[in-house]
Coordinates of all heavy atoms in Angstrom, one line a residue:
Q1 N -0.5 -17.9 -11.4 CA 0.1 -17.1 -10.3 C -0.9 -16.0 -9.9 O -1.0 -15.7 -8.7 CB 1.4 -16.5 -10.8 CG 2.5 -17.5 -10.9 CD 3.8 -16.8 -11.4 OE1 3.8 -15.7 -11.9 NE2 4.9 -17.6 -11.2
S2 N -1.5 -15.4 -10.8 CA -2.5 -14.3 -10.5 C -3.6 -14.8 -9.6 O -4.1 -14.0 -8.7 CB -2.9 -13.6 -11.7 OG -3.6 -14.5 -12.6
D3 N -4.1 -16.0 -9.8 CA -5.2 -16.6 -9.0 C -4.7 -16.7 -7.6 O -5.5 -16.3 -6.7 CB -5.6 -17.9 -9.5 CG -6.1 -17.9 -11.0 OD1 -6.7 -16.9 -11.3 OD2 -6.0 -18.9 -11.6
L4 N -3.6 -17.2 -7.4 CA -3.0 -17.4 -6.0 C -2.8 -16.0 -5.4 O -3.1 -15.8 -4.2 CB -1.8 -18.3 -6.0 CG -1.1 -18.5 -4.7 CD1 -2.1 -19.1 -3.6 CD2 0.1 -19.3 -4.8
A5 N -2.2 -15.1 -6.1 CA -1.9 -13.8 -5.6 C -3.2 -13.1 -5.1 O -3.2 -12.5 -4.1 CB -1.3 -13.0 -6.7
D6 N -4.3 -13.3 -5.9 CA -5.5 -12.7 -5.5 C -6.0 -13.3 -4.2 O -6.6 -12.6 -3.3 CB -6.6 -12.8 -6.6 CG -6.4 -12.0 -7.8 OD1 -5.6 -11.0 -7.7 OD2 -6.9 -12.3 -8.8
L7 N -5.9 -14.6 -4.0 CA -6.4 -15.3 -2.8 C -5.6 -14.9 -1.6 O -6.2 -14.9 -0.5 CB -6.3 -16.8 -3.0 CG -7.3 -17.4 -4.0 CD1 -6.9 -18.9 -4.2 CD2 -8.7 -17.3 -3.4
V8 N -4.3 -14.5 -1.7 CA -3.5 -14.2 -0.5 C -3.2 -12.7 -0.5 O -2.3 -12.3 0.3 CB -2.3 -15.1 -0.4 CG1 -2.7 -16.5 -0.2 CG2 -1.4 -14.9 -1.6
N9 N -3.8 -11.9 -1.3 CA -3.6 -10.5 -1.3 C -2.2 -9.9 -1.5 O -1.7 -9.1 -0.8 CB -4.2 -9.9 0.0 CG -5.7 -10.1 0.1 OD1 -6.5 -9.9 -0.9 ND2 -6.1 -10.6 1.2
V10 N -1.5 -10.5 -2.5 CA -0.2 -10.0 -2.9 C -0.2 -9.8 -4.4 O -1.2 -10.2 -5.1 CB 0.9 -10.9 -2.5 CG1 1.0 -11.1 -1.0 CG2 0.8 -12.3 -3.2
R11 N 0.9 -9.3 -5.0 CA 1.0 -9.1 -6.4 C 1.4 -10.4 -7.1 O 2.1 -11.2 -6.4 CB 2.0 -8.0 -6.7 CG 1.5 -6.6 -6.3 CD 2.5 -5.5 -6.5 NE 3.2 -5.7 -7.7 CZ 4.4 -5.1 -7.9 NH1 5.0 -4.4 -7.0 NH2 5.0 -5.3 -9.1
R12 N 1.1 -10.6 -8.3 CA 1.5 -11.8 -9.0 C 3.0 -12.0 -9.0 O 3.5 -13.0 -8.9 CB 1.0 -11.7 -10.5 CG 1.3 -13.0 -11.2 CD 1.4 -12.8 -12.7 NE 2.3 -11.8 -13.2 CZ 3.6 -11.9 -13.3 NH1 4.3 -13.0 -12.9 NH2 4.4 -10.9 -13.7
E13 N 3.7 -10.8 -9.1 CA 5.2 -10.9 -9.1 C 5.7 -11.5 -7.8 O 6.8 -12.1 -7.8 CB 5.8 -9.5 -9.3 CG 5.5 -8.9 -10.7 CD 4.1 -8.2 -10.9 OE1 3.3 -8.2 -9.9 OE2 3.8 -7.8 -12.0
T14 N 5.0 -11.2 -6.7 CA 5.5 -11.8 -5.4 C 5.4 -13.3 -5.5 O 6.3 -14.0 -5.0 CB 4.6 -11.3 -4.3 OG1 4.7 -9.9 -4.3 CG2 5.0 -11.9 -3.0
I15 N 4.3 -13.9 -6.1 CA 4.2 -15.3 -6.2 C 5.3 -15.9 -7.1 O 5.9 -16.9 -6.8 CB 2.8 -15.7 -6.8 CG1 1.7 -15.2 -5.9 CG2 2.7 -17.2 -7.0 CD1 1.7 -15.8 -4.4
G16 N 5.6 -15.2 -8.2 CA 6.7 -15.6 -9.1 C 8.0 -15.6 -8.3 O 8.8 -16.6 -8.5
R17 N 8.3 -14.6 -7.6 CA 9.6 -14.6 -6.8 C 9.6 -15.6 -5.7 O 10.7 -16.2 -5.5 CB 9.8 -13.2 -6.2 CG 10.1 -12.1 -7.3 CD 10.2 -10.7 -6.7 NE 11.3 -10.6 -5.7 CZ 12.6 -10.4 -6.0 NH1 13.0 -10.4 -7.3 NH2 13.4 -10.3 -5.0
L18 N 8.5 -15.9 -5.1 CA 8.4 -17.0 -4.1 C 8.8 -18.4 -4.8 O 9.5 -19.2 -4.3 CB 7.1 -17.1 -3.5 CG 6.7 -16.1 -2.4 CD1 5.3 -16.1 -2.1 CD2 7.6 -16.3 -1.2
E19 N 8.2 -18.6 -6.0 CA 8.4 -19.8 -6.7 C 9.8 -20.0 -7.1 O 10.3 -21.1 -7.2 CB 7.4 -19.9 -7.9 CG 6.0 -20.1 -7.5 CD 5.1 -20.2 -8.7 OE1 5.5 -20.1 -9.9 OE2 3.9 -20.5 -8.5
Q20 N 10.5 -18.9 -7.4 CA 11.9 -19.0 -7.8 C 12.9 -19.0 -6.7 O 14.1 -19.2 -6.8 CB 12.2 -17.8 -8.7 CG 11.5 -17.7 -10.0 CD 11.7 -16.4 -10.7 OE1 12.8 -15.9 -10.7 NE2 10.7 -15.8 -11.3
G21 N 12.3 -18.9 -5.4 CA 13.2 -18.9 -4.3 C 13.9 -17.6 -4.1 O 14.9 -17.5 -3.3
L22 N 13.4 -16.5 -4.7 CA 14.1 -15.2 -4.6 C 13.5 -14.3 -3.5 O 14.1 -13.3 -3.2 CB 14.0 -14.5 -6.0 CG 14.6 -15.2 -7.2 CD1 14.2 -14.4 -8.4 CD2 16.1 -15.3 -7.0
Y23 N 12.4 -14.8 -2.9 CA 11.8 -14.0 -1.9 C 11.4 -14.9 -0.8 O 10.8 -16.0 -1.0 CB 10.6 -13.3 -2.5 CG 9.7 -12.5 -1.5 CD1 10.2 -11.3 -1.0 CD2 8.4 -13.0 -1.1 CE1 9.4 -10.6 -0.1 CE2 7.7 -12.3 -0.3 CZ 8.1 -11.1 0.3 OH 7.4 -10.4 1.2
C24 N 11.7 -14.6 0.5 CA 11.3 -15.3 1.6 C 10.0 -14.7 2.2 O 10.0 -13.6 2.6 CB 12.5 -15.3 2.6 SG 12.2 -16.4 4.0
P25 N 9.0 -15.5 2.3 CA 7.7 -14.9 2.7 C 7.7 -14.6 4.2 O 8.4 -15.3 5.0 CB 6.7 -16.0 2.4 CG 7.5 -17.3 2.5 CD 8.8 -16.9 2.0
S26 N 6.8 -13.7 4.6 CA 6.5 -13.5 6.0 C 5.8 -14.8 6.5 O 5.3 -15.5 5.7 CB 5.7 -12.3 6.2 OG 4.4 -12.5 5.7
L27 N 5.8 -14.9 7.8 CA 5.1 -16.1 8.4 C 3.6 -16.0 8.1 O 3.0 -17.0 7.7 CB 5.3 -16.1 9.9 CG 4.7 -17.2 10.7 CD1 5.1 -18.6 10.1 CD2 5.0 -17.1 12.2
R28 N 3.0 -14.8 8.1 CA 1.6 -14.7 7.8 C 1.3 -15.1 6.3 O 0.4 -15.8 6.1 CB 1.2 -13.2 8.0 CG -0.2 -12.8 7.5 CD -1.3 -13.7 7.9 NE -1.5 -13.7 9.3 CZ -2.2 -14.6 10.0 NH1 -2.7 -15.6 9.4 NH2 -2.3 -14.6 11.3
L29 N 2.2 -14.6 5.4 CA 2.0 -15.0 4.0 C 2.2 -16.5 3.8 O 1.4 -17.1 3.1 CB 2.9 -14.2 3.1 CG 2.8 -14.5 1.6 CD1 1.4 -14.4 1.1 CD2 3.8 -13.7 0.8
A30 N 3.2 -17.1 4.4 CA 3.4 -18.5 4.3 C 2.2 -19.3 4.8 O 1.8 -20.3 4.2 CB 4.7 -18.9 5.0
M31 N 1.7 -18.9 5.9 CA 0.5 -19.5 6.5 C -0.7 -19.4 5.6 O -1.5 -20.3 5.4 CB 0.3 -19.0 7.9 CG 1.3 -19.4 8.9 SD 1.2 -18.6 10.5 CE -0.4 -19.2 11.1
D32 N -0.9 -18.2 5.0 CA -2.1 -18.0 4.2 C -2.0 -18.9 2.9 O -3.0 -19.5 2.5 CB -2.1 -16.5 3.7 CG -2.6 -15.6 4.9 OD1 -3.1 -16.1 5.9 OD2 -2.5 -14.4 4.7
I33 N -0.8 -19.0 2.3 CA -0.6 -19.8 1.2 C -0.8 -21.3 1.5 O -1.5 -22.0 0.8 CB 0.8 -19.6 0.6 CG1 0.9 -18.2 0.0 CG2 1.1 -20.7 -0.5 CD1 2.3 -17.8 -0.5
A34 N -0.3 -21.7 2.7 CA -0.4 -23.1 3.1 C -1.9 -23.4 3.3 O -2.4 -24.5 2.9 CB 0.3 -23.4 4.4
K35 N -2.7 -22.5 3.8 CA -4.1 -22.7 4.0 C -4.8 -22.9 2.6 O -5.7 -23.7 2.5 CB -4.7 -21.5 4.7 CG -6.1 -21.7 5.2 CD -6.5 -20.5 6.1 CE -7.8 -20.7 6.7 NZ -8.2 -19.6 7.6
V36 N -4.4 -22.1 1.6 CA -5.0 -22.2 0.3 C -4.9 -23.7 -0.2 O -5.8 -24.2 -0.8 CB -4.4 -21.2 -0.7 CG1 -4.8 -21.6 -2.1 CG2 -4.8 -19.8 -0.4
F37 N -3.7 -24.3 0.0 CA -3.4 -25.6 -0.5 C -3.7 -26.7 0.5 O -3.4 -27.9 0.3 CB -2.0 -25.6 -1.0 CG -1.7 -24.7 -2.2 CD1 -0.9 -23.7 -2.0 CD2 -2.4 -24.9 -3.4 CE1 -0.7 -22.8 -3.1 CE2 -2.2 -24.1 -4.4 CZ -1.3 -23.0 -4.3
D38 N -4.2 -26.3 1.7 CA -4.5 -27.3 2.7 C -3.3 -28.2 3.1 O -3.4 -29.4 3.1 CB -5.7 -28.2 2.3 CG -6.3 -29.0 3.5 OD1 -6.2 -28.5 4.7 OD2 -6.8 -30.1 3.3
T39 N -2.2 -27.5 3.3 CA -1.0 -28.2 3.7 C -0.2 -27.3 4.7 O -0.8 -26.4 5.3 CB -0.1 -28.3 2.4 OG1 1.0 -29.2 2.7 CG2 0.4 -27.0 1.8
T40 N 1.0 -27.7 5.0 CA 1.8 -27.0 6.0 C 2.8 -26.1 5.4 O 3.2 -26.3 4.2 CB 2.5 -28.0 6.9 OG1 3.5 -28.7 6.1 CG2 1.6 -29.0 7.6
V41 N 3.2 -25.1 6.1 CA 4.3 -24.2 5.7 C 5.5 -25.0 5.4 O 6.2 -24.8 4.4 CB 4.6 -23.1 6.8 CG1 5.8 -22.3 6.4 CG2 3.4 -22.2 6.9
E42 N 5.8 -26.0 6.2 CA 7.0 -26.8 6.0 C 7.0 -27.6 4.7 O 8.0 -27.9 4.1 CB 7.2 -27.8 7.2 CG 7.5 -27.1 8.5 CD 6.3 -26.6 9.3 OE1 5.1 -26.8 8.8 OE2 6.4 -26.0 10.3
D43 N 5.8 -28.0 4.3 CA 5.6 -28.7 3.0 C 5.9 -27.8 1.8 O 6.3 -28.2 0.8 CB 4.2 -29.3 2.9 CG 4.0 -30.2 1.7 OD1 5.0 -31.0 1.4 OD2 3.0 -30.1 1.1
L44 N 5.6 -26.5 2.0 CA 5.7 -25.6 0.9 C 7.1 -25.0 0.8 O 7.6 -24.7 -0.3 CB 4.7 -24.4 1.0 CG 3.3 -24.7 0.8 CD1 2.4 -23.6 1.2 CD2 3.0 -25.1 -0.7
F45 N 7.7 -24.7 1.9 CA 9.0 -24.0 2.0 C 10.0 -24.7 2.8 O 9.7 -25.2 3.9 CB 8.8 -22.5 2.6 CG 7.8 -21.7 1.8 CD1 6.5 -21.6 2.3 CD2 8.1 -21.1 0.6 CE1 5.5 -20.8 1.7 CE2 7.1 -20.4 0.0 CZ 5.9 -20.2 0.5

């Protein structure tokens, strides 16, 4: 989680909350994460 957090400039806790479905990302954050995994926002969320 910390690796991904560093890549998209958020805290590790934010990644944890995203994975649990407890936090809805901004469009910018969702796009940044999708870019890391070379996929679409729709595929992730």
Side-chain angles (χ1 to χ4, degrees):
Q1 287 180 345
S2 58
D3 297 330
L4 178 57
D6 289 343
L7 289 172
V8 296
N9 298 312
V10 298
R11 294 175 40 200
R12 185 206 52 81
E13 292 83 2
T14 301
I15 300 300
R17 291 178 57 83
L18 283 168
E19 290 182 354
Q20 295 173 39
L22 299 174
Y23 175 72
C24 189
S26 68
L27 181 56
R28 170 52 62 199
L29 178 56
M31 291 173 62
D32 288 347
I33 293 171
K35 191 174 187 178
V36 167
F37 295 115
D38 193 29
T39 192
T40 64
V41 171
E42 295 85 0
D43 186 43
L44 289 172
F45 304 101

